[in-house]
Each structure stands twice: as structure tokens, then as C-alpha cells.
Amino acid sequence: MKWVSSDVDKYSQSKEYVDTAIVPLIPISLDSNFKSTVAKGEFIHFVSTELERQLKGRVFLFPEFSYLKNDNQVINKLEEWKNEIQKEFKYIIFLTSDESIKEKKSDMIADHVMWLPTVPFEHMDEQLKRKLLQDQVEQILNILLQSWNK
């Protein structure tokens, strides 16, 4: 389910089955690594969209959380998001390819941040892109299944 009105109606009807929130983290920076930063966000967008597609009915995909890469308050903001989201969802996953989030994360959100190495899709053919995307999603699915089975 996604952050759209029709899916919120579906969520309201099946709340007891939808227990996982996915929040894609998208860094913004116009420095010399501009293209690399965009690629990280693009990759996380593709992964989170595919994850939602495969787990529709179990996960709720939140809008992308965009932040300035040099924002010293981003972890505090993620903690606020976590506190708000956990009122409704048992499991919260912040998906990112940004190393700085991985390095800065606090104890409060450490178990909720899932860092993925970026796969640059820019010059790949569609078939290879789909295969690599599927491989990443399968790895996340395994981690989610372990969490759900605890």
C-alpha cells in the first residue's frame, strides 16, 4: 500500500495485516557528488517501490523522506518520524543508500535503518536492471521475514 487515498481506505479495512512501514530516505546535495547522490535516491526509490509491489497487503510505503545531506538534524527528524509511525505500525524500515545515515544513526533508530549499497542503473539494460533489483528485494525480504518471525 502506498501513500495515496485509495490505499489508505484499504489500509483502514485491513489494519491488522499491515504492520510494516517502509520509508525511503533520499539525500539531497548539489556538491561535486551530485550525480552519485541522485543515483542513491533513484536506487532507493526503485527498491522501495518494488518491495511495496511484492508485499502489498503487508507493508505501507510512506512518501520519500528527502533531506539535505549536510543536515545535522536529520537523525533527530528520523527519530520523530519513527515515534509518529510506531503509533500505527509494529515494524519500521528506513531504506537508504546514504553512508552518512549509516554512520550517524542513533541507538533509537539503529535497528530500523537498512542500508543498501547503490547499484547504478543509468547505463544498464532493462533485463539486467530488473534482475539486480529483484536480488536486492529478495535480500530485504529475508531480513523482513526474520523480523516478522521473532
Side-chain angles (χ1 to χ4, degrees), residues 6-61:
S6 60
D7 280 358
V8 170
D9 290 338
K10 291 176 194 168
Y11 167 74
S12 296
Q13 296 166 1
S14 57
K15 242 181 182 177
E16 65 273 13
Y17 305 109
V18 184
D19 62 357
T20 304
I22 297 173
V23 182
L25 305 182
I26 309 297
I28 307 292
S29 176
L30 303 175
D31 65 8
S32 59
N33 297 322
F34 183 27
K35 190 170 183 175
S36 170
T37 303
V38 170
K40 289 174 186 183
E42 183 180 34
F43 175 69
I44 290 300
H45 170 80
F46 287 137
V47 170
S48 59
T49 301
E50 181 62 17
L51 197 54
E52 185 278 334
R53 188 188 71 74
Q54 289 191 27
L55 294 173
K56 196 172 209 80
R58 181 74 195 256
V59 302
F60 196 97
L61 179 60

Side-chain angles (χ1 to χ4, degrees), residues 3 7 9 13 17 29 47 56 60 65-66 76 78 81 102 111-113 117:
W3 192 262
D7 280 358
D9 290 338
Q13 296 166 1
Y17 305 109
S29 176
V47 170
K56 196 172 209 80
F60 196 97
F65 178 90
S66 299
N76 294 338
L78 289 176
W81 273 54
K102 185 173 83 166
D111 293 341
H112 302 280
V113 173

